């Protein structure tokens, strides 16, 4: 986090954020949060397969889909979400069953903080449960709720995670508290990962998986 943790920062730009779903107030009409948690999780003893993730029929809205919980905001010191937090094509490593898996696509990488530190202290549990409830209500599945071993960080390396900024939502001092989710619809695959430090702040990454278009080779006449 920005005050006591070493975090990985990104500064790429393209898209702006418009319509969002409020994280704290989103509810699932089909099931309660506890029931959803029991259903919407992966078996950590098996190799992850995206094709086994149920397809959600929920309308996700406009990227990055979720607003911050009430009394919280995006940006350092909740300064607001900016164009520099977005990229039309980027990369991020996501923790899945304790392993780091790279994904590429459209991203929003941004900090989370309280709007008014004079009246509100950053509560990581409130933020975590608010995002969890909203993501599950959209048909999301939790992919990581276990520690990421230091050996996995070493395997990927600082060049990828720090120098290239592909580990924005991985707190190197909080490897036991990285939360990862995926939402799969008929035409989208959305990854969400955050790491929070209680009484401090947090970082979150939204990634909508995409592939670059193949370049057209022009032939001489």
């Amino acid at each position: 986090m920005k005050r006591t943790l070493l975090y990985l920062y990104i500064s790429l730009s393209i898209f702006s954020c418009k319509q969002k779903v409020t994280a704290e107030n989103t509810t699932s009409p089909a099931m309660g949060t506890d029931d959803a948690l029991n259903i919407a999780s992966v078996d950590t003893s098996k190799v992850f397969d995206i094709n086994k993730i149920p397809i959600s029929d929920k309308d996700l809205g406009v990227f990055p889909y979720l607003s911050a919980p009430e009394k919280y905001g995006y940006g350092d010191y909740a300064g607001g979400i900016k164009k520099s937090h977005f990229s039309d094509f980027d990369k991020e490593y996501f923790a899945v069953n304790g392993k780091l898996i790279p994904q590429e696509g459209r991203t929003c990488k941004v900090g989370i903080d309280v709007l008014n530190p004079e009246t509100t202290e950053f509560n990581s549990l409130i933020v975590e449960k608010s995002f969890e409830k909203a993501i599950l209500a959209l048909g999301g599945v939790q992919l990581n709720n276990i520690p990421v071993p230091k050996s996995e960080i070493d395997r990927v390396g600082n060049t990828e995670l720090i120098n290239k900024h592909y580990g924005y939502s991985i707190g190197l001092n909080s490897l036991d508290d990285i939360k990862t989710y995926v939402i799969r619809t008929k035409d989208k695959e959305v990854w969400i990962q955050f790491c929070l430090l209680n009484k401090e702040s947090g970082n979150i990454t939204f990634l909508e998986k995409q592939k670059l278009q193949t370049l057209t080779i022009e032939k001489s006449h």
Side-chain angles (χ1 to χ4, degrees), residues 73-216:
Y74 290 130
D76 290 340
Y77 302 97
I81 198 164
K82 299 177 173 61
K83 287 185 177 181
S84 61
H85 295 130
F86 292 83
S87 174
D88 60 339
F89 194 80
D90 196 5
K91 179 178 175 180
E92 179 81 351
Y93 282 87
F94 290 87
V96 178
N97 302 334
K99 299 290 185 180
L100 296 181
I101 299 176
Q103 300 292 344
E104 296 178 337
R106 180 186 184 188
T107 64
C108 174
K109 300 181 178 183
V110 66
I112 313 166
D113 208 340
V114 296
L115 292 174
N116 187 348
E118 298 297 324
T119 60
T120 306
E121 185 176 55
F122 189 90
N123 187 316
S124 61
L125 186 60
I126 289 177
V127 176
E128 176 187 337
K129 293 301 180 181
S130 296
F131 278 118
E132 178 183 86
K133 185 177 182 180
I135 295 168
L136 294 180
L138 291 174
V141 174
Q142 186 172 27
L143 301 181
N144 195 78
N145 195 28
I146 63 175
V148 176
K150 180 63 165 54
S151 59
E152 186 66 3
I153 298 296
D154 294 338
R155 179 186 68 81
V156 176
N158 289 343
T159 298
E160 286 285 284
L161 297 176
I162 299 177
N163 298 351
K164 295 182 179 180
H165 310 292
Y166 296 153
Y168 181 83
S169 51
I170 297 173
L172 297 184
N173 292 333
S174 298
L175 298 179
D176 59 341
D177 201 25
I178 299 172
K179 309 299 182 184
T180 309
Y181 300 82
V182 68
I183 305 172
R184 185 179 176 223
T185 69
K186 63 180 181 179
D187 57 357
K188 292 180 181 179
E189 182 180 319
V190 178
W191 291 72
I192 303 170
Q193 179 170 265
F194 55 84
C195 189
L196 312 170
L197 179 62
N198 195 36
K199 299 184 180 181
E200 290 291 343
S201 59
N203 280 5
I204 188 167
T205 295
F206 300 91
L207 184 146
E208 183 179 307
K209 191 170 182 179
Q210 294 178 348
K211 293 182 179 180
L212 286 176
Q213 293 183 347
T214 303
L215 294 177
T216 301

